[in-house]
Amino acid sequence: MRSTTPATRLILAGGLLVDGSGAAPLRADLLIDGEVIAAIGDRRDMPADVPVLDVSDCIVAPGFIDSHTHDDGYLLVHRDMTPKVSQGITTVVTGNCGISLAPLVRSEVPQPLDLLGPARLFRFATFQSWIDALRAAPAAVNVVPLVGHTTLRVAVMDDTDRAATAPEMVQMQALLTEALEAGAFGMSTGTFYPPAAHAPTEEIIEVGLPLRSHGGLYATHLRDEADHIVPAMEEALQIGRALDCLVVFSHHKLAGGNNHGRSQETLALIDQAARLQPVCLDCHPYPATSTMLRLDRVRIARRTLITWSSAMPAAQGRDFADIQAELGLDDEQTLERLAPAGAIYFLMDEADVERIMRHPLAMVGSDGLPFDQHPHPRQWGTFTNVLRTLVRERGVLPIETAIHKMTGLAARHYGLADRGLLRVGYRADVVVLDPARVTDRATFEQPVQASEGISGVWVNGQRVWDGQCATGALPGEVLSRAPRHA
């Protein structure tokens, strides 16, 4: 079911067009007609009866593509997608880190699947049924869906603390095939997490075999992003070669003080691999990450902030170290008192973050956890944080490069044939922003705050953000992938 909002006809006049390709900005007018960009040039050559919006003090860019999200369930519950459209995002990639909402029906789910939202959302026995739900009640943004290997394991196996048997791998293959035929762009893994930690490389390759015939991609939250990151990366590259598919290194980072500076090593490995096989990465601009509460992360982080705790709700927003001191317990006992819980870990180095963000294969992905009660600010501010800190304040990236990473580069990697660039005939996913004012307001202390300086966002030609709030339009689509080599 598509939105019934009347088709848009609008000229965005006088803006500085940053077209998503990485090319230098160009001042021009842009005509939106229905769902597409109908013309780019001089408005005097465009139809005279079309309304004109003066954006001469602004940048006009393609809508931003959030390359790494966990919005699978949020799309169904909060269809206006305010955390995303308020920072210029028009498309979200779901099902990352091995966890997708479908195919799985459970009244209770193990961590980290609970990061996707309450158990009642896990009601889709097939990937197609989830896709059908998104199409019946579309959100404000487009969706690029992935299916999670961890979800497949939980759906099929009675015990995930072991490798899958041959019959179980056949069942997972069948579920993956169904998902790919329903529209999944590929499969993700999260062998860092308990439900998939016992899956050997051979299992992932065997389960992932349908990716070959369907042209799907492989996105991975590595087994280790700390001391053993290089072997973990080599495993992912081996899987990509075996399945003849693109490898996406999710939220690429170096965790813990022992590994600060090693991005030079890991990015060199990516450069070497890219000469032999398709590979890319996503990242965000913060020196902190967020996931379930884990002792191994607590012990290498310089600070751990609790985002939620089922056993101790009052811990939300407090530092783990303060809670530990208050309780008079060791770290293991403190974790037992808090679990299940989520946390933000300050364990990355700013120089690594900037180096990774500058890499030519690096896309921008928020990796936000939308149902966290005290979320990481990346859910509300990743893209505007890049524009504020890395572009305007530090000069790490020129504006056209930053927007390329948010748009055209991501569209190319994910096979979105008619999005990610300002081109005549492309779908009208467009953002208008004030380069002098655009800023994230979400902080670690107050993370639920909309950005400033995003004055308008259009998805498939309909305005979903008016500069102050979501408009209520729900024109998002579940997207289809183009052939990998198209």
Side-chain angles (χ1 to χ4, degrees):
M1 179 186 299
R2 295 299 307 281
S3 172
T4 57
T5 303
T8 299
R9 296 191 81 208
L10 178 68
I11 294 173
L12 299 175
L16 191 65
L17 271 58
V18 179
D19 69 3
S21 70
L26 171 71
R27 195 164 296 279
D29 306 316
L30 183 146
L31 169 63
I32 297 174
D33 192 348
E35 298 183 344
V36 302
I37 298 170
I40 297 173
D42 190 325
R43 69 176 178 272
R44 292 173 295 186
D45 299 325
M46 299 176 187
D49 60 342
V50 177
V52 174
L53 179 63
D54 182 3
V55 295
S56 54
D57 293 332
C58 295
I59 282 174
V60 179
F64 301 154
I65 299 169
D66 192 340
S67 299
H68 188 108
T69 85
H70 297 287
D71 291 331
D72 308 41
Y74 200 78
L75 289 157
L76 300 172
V77 179
H78 300 280
R79 294 164 61 199
D80 59 89
M81 294 297 289
T82 295
K84 297 306 175 77
V85 298
S86 61
Q87 53 180 310
I89 293 166
T90 59
T91 298
V92 298
V93 181
T94 62
N96 286 283
C97 296
I99 57 174
S100 56
L101 201 63
L104 184 63
V105 178
R106 285 287 189 278
S107 58
E108 295 182 3
V109 294
Q111 288 198 292
L113 284 166
D114 60 350
L115 300 178
L116 297 181
R120 60 180 170 80
L121 293 175
F122 290 87
R123 61 180 188 270
F124 302 102
T126 65
F127 206 79
Q128 183 68 62
S129 60
W130 175 65
I131 295 290
D132 290 344
L134 289 176
R135 287 178 171 150
V141 298
N142 303 309
V143 182
V144 171
L146 306 178
V147 62
H149 166 254
T150 296
T151 298
L152 302 182
R153 288 191 118 231
V154 172
V156 165
M157 299 174 66
D158 58 357
D159 175 14
T160 57
D161 289 337
R162 57 173 175 79
T165 65
E168 288 168 341
M169 287 189 283
V170 169
Q171 291 181 68
M172 285 190 273
Q173 278 185 353
L175 290 174
L176 174 58
T177 297
E178 185 275 330
L180 292 167
E181 292 176 351
F185 279 57
M187 181 179 76
S188 72
T189 56
T191 45
F192 172 75
Y193 293 110
H198 294 276
T201 308
E202 294 74 20
E203 174 188 315
I204 297 169
I205 293 172
E206 187 68 20
V207 170
L209 286 176
L211 295 175
R212 283 182 183 168
S213 56
H214 289 81
L217 62 86
Y218 171 60
T220 177
H221 180 148
L222 296 170
R223 287 188 193 273
D224 193 294
E225 295 174 319
D227 295 354
H228 305 292
I229 188 170
V230 168
M233 292 177 68
E234 290 172 341
E235 178 193 38
L237 294 168
Q238 176 189 347
I239 292 167
R241 291 191 298 271
L243 299 178
D244 188 27
C245 66
L246 171 68
V247 176
V248 183
F249 288 107
S250 295
H251 45 59
H252 188 54
K253 69 175 76 70
L254 287 302
N258 289 343
N259 299 295
H260 290 174
R262 291 186 66 197
S263 59
Q264 297 182 78
E265 178 185 1
T266 61
L267 294 175
L269 177 57
I270 289 172
D271 287 336
Q272 181 182 11
R275 293 192 283 269
L276 303 172
Q277 64 186 102
V279 60
C280 63
L281 59 148
D282 64 63
C283 56
H284 63 68
Y286 301 91
T289 188
S290 181
T291 187
M292 61 186 282
L293 183 62
R294 292 174 53 125
L295 201 56
D296 59 348
R297 300 296 92 173
V298 171
R299 288 175 173 171
I300 65 172
R302 56 187 177 273
R303 178 190 176 198
T304 299
L305 180 68
I306 303 301
T307 58
W308 61 272
S309 168
S310 295
M312 191 182 295
Q316 175 189 323
R318 297 187 61 195
D319 278 23
F320 183 94
D322 292 342
I323 297 168
Q324 180 180 342
E326 182 178 291
L327 296 175
L329 303 174
D330 64 23
D331 57 3
E332 187 171 358
Q333 293 167 329
T334 303
L335 184 142
E336 289 174 358
R337 287 286 296 273
L338 292 168
I344 294 169
Y345 305 96
F346 294 80
L347 43 63
M348 296 143 69
D349 178 63
E350 290 278 9
D352 283 323
V353 173
E354 291 187 2
R355 187 178 296 114
I356 291 167
M357 189 66 75
R358 285 196 302 266
H359 193 275
L361 294 177
M363 307 174 288
V364 179
S366 70
D367 193 21
L369 303 175
F371 286 99
D372 271 10
Q373 296 163 29
H374 186 102
H376 191 300
R378 63 192 181 187
Q379 177 68 12
W380 286 79
T382 290
F383 286 72
T384 47
N385 181 284
V386 169
L387 294 172
R388 174 179 66 84
T389 63
L390 300 186
V391 174
R392 189 171 67 239
E393 295 179 355
R394 300 184 205 165
V396 174
L397 297 170
I399 186 73
E400 59 268 28
T401 300
I403 288 177
H404 172 59
K405 291 174 174 294
M406 300 173 176
T407 58
L409 182 65
R412 187 174 80 229
H413 286 319
Y414 284 98
L416 308 180
D418 57 355
R419 301 183 194 262
L421 300 172
L422 298 180
R423 296 285 187 273
V424 173
Y426 273 48
R427 299 300 283 272
D429 294 347
V430 179
V431 59
V432 174
L433 63 94
D434 181 344
R437 195 170 63 89
V438 65
T439 194
D440 55 315
R441 296 178 62 241
T443 65
F444 288 103
E445 293 73 28
Q446 299 290 332
V448 181
Q449 299 193 75
S451 297
E452 294 180 347
I454 302 291
S455 58
V457 179
W458 288 259
V459 173
N460 297 312
Q462 294 186 32
R463 194 169 189 172
V464 297
W465 180 255
D466 67 6
Q468 299 295 324
C469 61
T471 66
L474 302 169
E477 299 179 1
V478 180
L479 302 185
S480 300
R481 64 185 182 275
R484 193 177 80 191
H485 300 295

